Amino acid sequence: MPKSKKPAGGRPAKNFEPRYGATTSYQDRKRRPGESSSGTQGSKSPSHRGHRPAESSDGAPKRRWNAQERAGRDEARGIRTHAGSDRGPRRDDRSDRPNRSYDSKAPRRDDRGDRPARSYDDRPARSYKNDRPARAYDDRAPRRDDRNDRSARSYDNKSPRRDDRSDRPTRSYDSKAPRRDDRSDRPTRSYDSKAPRRDDRGDRPTRSYDNDRPARPAQDRVERDNRRSFGDARPSYRNDDRARQSSSDRPRRDDPRRESNPTRSDWNAKSRSAAQEAHVDVVHERLQGKAIQAALVANVSFGDLGLGENIVQVLTGMGASAPFPIQAATVKPILNGKDVLARGRTGSGKTIAFGAPLVESVLRSQKGQRREFGRSPKALILAPTRELALQIDRTIQPIARSVGLFTTQIYGGVPAGRQVGALKKGVDIIIGTPGRIEDLMNQGKLDLSQIQITVLDEGDHMCELGFLEPVQRILRETAPGSQKLLFSATLDREVAALVDEFLVDPAVYEVAGEDQDSGTIDHRVLVIDHRNKAEILASLVDREGKTLVFTRTRAYAEMLAEQFDDAGIRALALHGDLNQAKRTRNLERMTSGRVHVLVATDVAARGIHVDDIDLVVQADAPDEYKTYLHRSGRTGRAGRSGTVVTLIPRQRRNRMSDLLDRAEIDAPFDEVRPGDALIEELANRQLSNVDA
DNA sequence: AAAAAAC
């Protein structure tokens, strides 16, 4: 199929790039001379820096440091003083050292300063902010909707979940229902699991797809297409789901289990059953929503959508002069106070899609009021990782600033003092991760009662085990009935857990014709012998372009980074065992291009934007199709081509092809051994634009 | 089972 998939007329995704120019004050700070002299890194007390005079040079009163800035500062200090500084064993230094294997393992000697000058030593200021334009177009994850051109694999399996939807109560916590016995006698779950969706299982004992959906691949496709073309005013999430709560019109709704607002114990039950089937990669039903036709919104401007002049100006400055479809779709309803579920690659402008109207909304609510010292925040944005929270703030902060609103980041891994200090002074928008937010909340240092609008970025992820309950506790502290927004590239009915409790009559949006496969990403699976894995990985990664390698565990990420390093390929690791400063720094080094290989766990799978990653290698295959989609969405951005290579052992072939089915991705499988030409070819592919 | 998320 033609890959003229560019929504809105091939506007480059650049649109979403915030300008990290002079307006971003943390750059100034980083350069500030003398910063490094503050002695131990322990100068955590906010007051240390807080009173620095130069602060307001950019017009922003009392800027607060964020982790990124801090890391930048640390790094700057390290560079300036590395000759004498005792930095202890630092793995991340590997980036500086092309290939000293023995070094990398031995405890760092502090005389590293005598090493040949690092090439970047003379770069005065980290320029990474500048050369890393965009972040918004993340999740270009393959769209699940573009199914029609996909080769056969499992039409019949997939279709049920959509067809059934309208007449079925379904929701994910149905899984708490007694298991149907047919589950137990299914030994191999991986492919089975995609047939009866999890939602199907519990509450739909009898009714199955064979009733209403005779397996008719061709026809399925037609239906799918219709649906996808949004010709159908299909019940949106709510019609489908909430209607059930009224419970009168639906025959099957009388099941007592099916409460509209599940109680806590419901969730516990859900957790248990979720744990029981922890290894089953479930494809939830897609949320059915209004699709936004790019053509329909082509001529709308941000101003038309209701955003104020200042905000429009900042957006334009970021390169977002006209709204992308997802933005055109969500801005108005958000301003109108609707709860919104939106699916769109971040690359489609997700962050701005919720960020801009959120700022406008907060602004409006404060119209005529003074922003008082110590005011409680009015808006909350939750993200699954600290890096993502940071990234979101980098996009939103300039927007907020333009109208005099303040944002602050609230996440773990960094001293809380500064964050608390910011809260004491009063901020309007907080952006963070659940742990620290809940922590401060419980300490009474963060008052969420004034939160009028909450965004869950990567909303489906936030509904997963481990995140769900903290997120629920946080949401319960926000103003009752306040507005909730869920955004994700893979938004499905897994979010029912939160939707049912917190959202009222949500509007669901997705962008029509947003292709997943999109033609810009080439997916390959390499079937290998385990004993060859290291060697093959090394040859894949030994290349010019930026390569992101995913592993399943932190330890392996660490090990691989070291292996690559030992082989003379500079590589850094990114995972949760690193302290936040290293995490931030290592990611930044990849972003700035100082290092071309980053080995990460799934901490980097979602939302993280690094420009120009043209190869994603999955050293370990993911277990879930969503993970596959998010990981591979780190490449193929901005109209560029990208390749995703997944290494699997022979015995994983079936599992892998099942997973690809669920992800709705077609990828050839090739058996390879070290030295095979294919490896070389994949590694040395030319990065090219695929705009045409 | 792992990863993420608080100290």
Side-chain angles (χ1 to χ4, degrees):
Chain A
M1 82 181 200
K3 38 196 167 188
S4 53
K5 58 129 207 176
K6 286 271 164 200
R11 210 182 312 118
K14 275 239 176 260
N15 267 10
F16 296 99
E17 309 183 352
R19 236 189 356 196
Y20 298 110
T23 58
T24 315
S25 42
Y26 49 75
Q27 293 191 328
D28 306 319
R29 314 211 70 243
K30 230 173 292 163
R31 280 183 217 119
R32 184 169 301 123
E35 192 90 0
S36 62
S37 61
S38 60
T40 72
Q41 136 144 337
S43 49
K44 296 170 176 173
S45 156
S47 55
H48 261 183
R49 288 174 223 101
H51 62 272
R52 278 178 189 278
E55 213 71 46
S56 49
S57 58
D58 58 357
K62 302 277 188 189
R63 287 197 53 271
R64 287 170 290 278
W65 277 57
N66 59 33
Q68 179 106 2
E69 299 167 30
R70 209 183 322 266
R73 188 265 334 260
D74 290 343
E75 180 181 10
R77 175 195 298 145
I79 289 171
R80 274 194 291 273
T81 65
H82 62 86
S85 71
D86 182 20
R87 296 207 277 163
R90 292 264 292 267
R91 280 202 67 258
D92 31 4
D93 290 335
R94 287 190 280 101
S95 61
D96 321 330
R97 294 172 297 110
N99 58 1
R100 317 274 297 286
S101 52
Y102 41 92
D103 262 346
S104 64
K105 282 166 203 148
R108 284 278 144 277
R109 301 184 299 132
D110 31 25
D111 59 13
R112 281 192 291 89
D114 56 1
R115 269 184 286 123
R118 307 162 183 171
S119 53
Y120 53 81
D121 265 352
D122 42 7
R123 294 190 204 169
R126 333 264 133 290
S127 51
Y128 48 86
K129 301 277 160 37
N130 298 325
D131 47 39
R132 173 190 12 126
R135 67 192 21 106
Y137 37 84
D138 288 340
D139 303 347
R140 296 208 152 207
R143 311 293 280 118
R144 312 203 24 237
D145 18 8
D146 98 318
R147 294 176 217 195
N148 31 355
D149 51 356
R150 154 181 326 276
S151 69
R153 268 198 209 110
S154 61
Y155 279 124
D156 350 28
N157 289 337
K158 276 175 232 166
S159 31
R161 67 175 186 271
R162 326 183 76 241
D163 300 338
D164 293 341
R165 203 178 21 259
S166 45
D167 49 3
R168 183 160 43 104
T170 89
R171 57 188 44 195
S172 52
Y173 56 75
D174 286 333
S175 57
K176 68 184 184 265
R179 285 276 151 267
R180 292 200 290 142
D181 20 344
D182 64 16
R183 268 179 37 76
S184 47
D185 52 39
R186 274 188 295 135
T188 57
R189 50 287 237 289
S190 46
Y191 53 82
D192 279 337
S193 65
K194 75 190 170 230
R197 304 279 158 244
R198 171 165 19 159
D199 341 315
D200 304 348
R201 281 199 284 272
D203 59 344
R204 249 199 338 147
T206 54
R207 175 188 170 38
S208 64
Y209 25 96
D210 24 23
N211 294 340
D212 46 24
R213 189 201 47 94
R216 303 155 306 189
Q219 176 150 348
D220 280 349
R221 225 164 305 156
V222 171
E223 289 172 9
R224 229 183 344 246
D225 289 346
N226 288 342
R227 192 116 8 132
R228 194 160 6 171
S229 59
F230 319 107
D232 59 347
R234 229 40 173 98
S236 75
Y237 182 94
R238 174 192 205 294
N239 296 338
D240 190 23
D241 208 61
R242 292 284 168 126
R244 157 163 34 82
Q245 299 176 7
S246 63
S247 82
S248 43
D249 48 349
R250 305 215 163 211
R252 270 180 300 277
R253 297 302 168 265
D254 41 13
D255 186 339
R257 286 185 257 118
R258 207 159 295 117
E259 305 292 328
S260 55
N261 284 319
T263 63
R264 177 62 81 90
S265 60
D266 284 332
W267 295 121
N268 290 339
K270 172 191 160 82
S271 301
R272 276 195 303 276
S273 53
Q276 284 161 10
E277 47 187 304
H279 289 100
V280 182
D281 184 15
V282 176
V283 177
H284 292 267
E285 291 180 50
R286 305 184 58 207
L287 291 170
Q288 203 61 50
K290 299 170 201 168
I292 310 311
Q293 299 288 358
L296 295 180
V297 299
N299 293 318
V300 183
S301 75
F302 278 118
D304 298 338
L305 294 171
L307 298 178
E309 208 174 293
N310 284 355
I311 293 178
V312 171
Q313 215 166 3
V314 175
L315 292 176
T316 307
M318 289 174 167
S321 43
F324 277 3
I326 189 76
Q327 299 162 349
T330 59
V331 168
K332 245 183 197 165
I334 292 175
L335 288 177
N336 289 337
K338 287 281 286 180
D339 287 344
V340 169
L341 304 174
R343 179 172 47 231
R345 337 178 231 191
T346 332
S348 48
K350 240 177 45 175
T351 307
I352 289 176
F354 63 71
L358 175 140
V359 171
E360 175 75 29
S361 192
V362 172
L363 180 68
R364 287 183 188 179
S365 76
Q366 298 196 341
K367 205 139 227 162
Q369 296 173 30
R370 285 188 48 210
R371 282 188 298 280
E372 291 178 14
F373 187 89
R375 64 195 178 277
S376 292
K378 302 294 185 299
L380 166 64
I381 300 172
L382 282 175
T385 63
R386 301 164 185 168
E387 283 76 12
L388 187 52
L390 249 155
Q391 188 177 284
I392 294 168
D393 186 47
R394 277 192 232 113
T395 298
I396 293 193
Q397 194 181 66
I399 303 176
R401 284 264 188 90
S402 74
V403 294
L405 297 179
F406 288 79
T407 69
T408 197
Q409 303 138 4
I410 306 287
Y411 54 71
V414 296
R418 175 169 296 276
Q419 299 171 356
V420 173
L423 291 171
K424 272 191 186 138
K425 282 187 254 177
V427 297
D428 306 287
I429 299 165
I430 62 182
I431 299 154
T433 49
R436 177 64 65 84
I437 288 177
E438 197 182 8
D439 187 14
L440 296 186
M441 193 175 90
N442 292 337
Q443 291 183 40
K445 292 174 175 160
L446 171 57
D447 169 30
L448 296 180
S449 67
Q450 305 299 307
I451 297 285
Q452 316 151 348
I453 173 167
T454 306
V455 182
L456 299 188
D457 200 7
E458 306 296 346
D460 57 323
H461 194 39
M462 300 302 253
C463 286
E464 285 172 15
L465 209 58
F467 272 125
L468 178 62
E469 299 202 14
V471 167
Q472 285 174 323
R473 288 192 294 264
I474 290 169
L475 291 184
R476 287 180 186 129
E477 296 295 315
T478 63
S482 59
Q483 190 177 6
K484 309 284 189 296
L485 316 173
L486 270 70
F487 279 68
S488 178
T490 53
L491 203 64
D492 57 20
R493 293 180 67 89
E494 186 176 17
V495 297
L498 290 176
V499 170
D500 290 337
E501 181 176 357
F502 297 104
L503 278 74
V504 180
D505 190 18
V508 187
Y509 295 100
E510 62 184 343
V511 176
E514 239 195 5
D515 269 336
Q516 184 49 13
D517 257 328
S518 76
T520 69
I521 301 181
D522 189 22
H523 298 270
R524 309 294 296 247
V525 177
L526 301 187
V527 182
I528 61 165
D529 261 358
H530 182 71
R531 63 172 188 275
N532 296 328
K533 192 168 179 177
E535 193 177 344
I536 290 175
L537 278 169
S539 14
L540 278 172
V541 147
D542 189 10
R543 57 196 297 276
E544 293 287 318
K546 285 187 190 172
T547 309
L548 180 55
V549 181
F550 281 105
T551 65
R552 197 175 57 91
T553 66
R554 308 161 179 183
Y556 190 39
E558 196 65 29
M559 190 179 107
L560 270 186
E562 237 166 85
Q563 275 180 17
F564 293 153
D565 224 42
D566 291 354
I569 306 160
R570 285 177 12 177
L572 290 177
L574 179 62
H575 55 75
D577 269 349
L578 300 176
N579 66 40
Q580 190 55 39
K582 280 182 192 169
R583 279 170 63 164
T584 308
R585 180 173 47 233
N586 289 1
L587 176 58
E588 179 276 315
R589 286 192 177 164
M590 176 70 165
T591 303
S592 65
R594 200 167 301 162
V595 166
H596 284 179
V597 179
L598 188 68
V599 188
T601 59
D602 283 330
V603 69
R606 283 179 178 251
I608 300 306
H609 175 78
V610 174
D611 248 4
D612 297 334
I613 291 178
D614 54 345
L615 177 62
V616 167
V617 176
Q618 310 200 63
D620 298 314
D623 290 322
E624 298 175 9
Y625 81 94
K626 282 190 194 180
T627 306
Y628 187 101
L629 293 177
H630 285 282
R631 283 176 170 186
S632 55
R634 303 308 103 202
T635 185
R637 302 156 169 279
R640 299 219 159 196
S641 60
T643 305
V644 177
V645 174
T646 307
L647 301 189
I648 59 165
R650 211 166 264 109
Q651 68 269 18
R652 195 169 172 129
R653 278 177 299 192
N654 284 343
R655 253 175 92 190
M656 189 64 199
S657 76
D658 289 338
L659 181 143
L660 289 171
D661 278 350
R662 290 191 289 274
E664 297 175 1
I665 283 173
D666 283 324
F669 286 47
D670 292 285
E671 297 211 9
V672 298
R673 295 199 278 172
D676 281 358
L678 178 59
I679 298 173
E680 202 69 3
E681 190 231 303
L682 291 172
N684 294 321
R685 268 186 187 183
Q686 290 294 325
L687 181 67
S688 67
N689 284 314
V690 242
D691 278 331

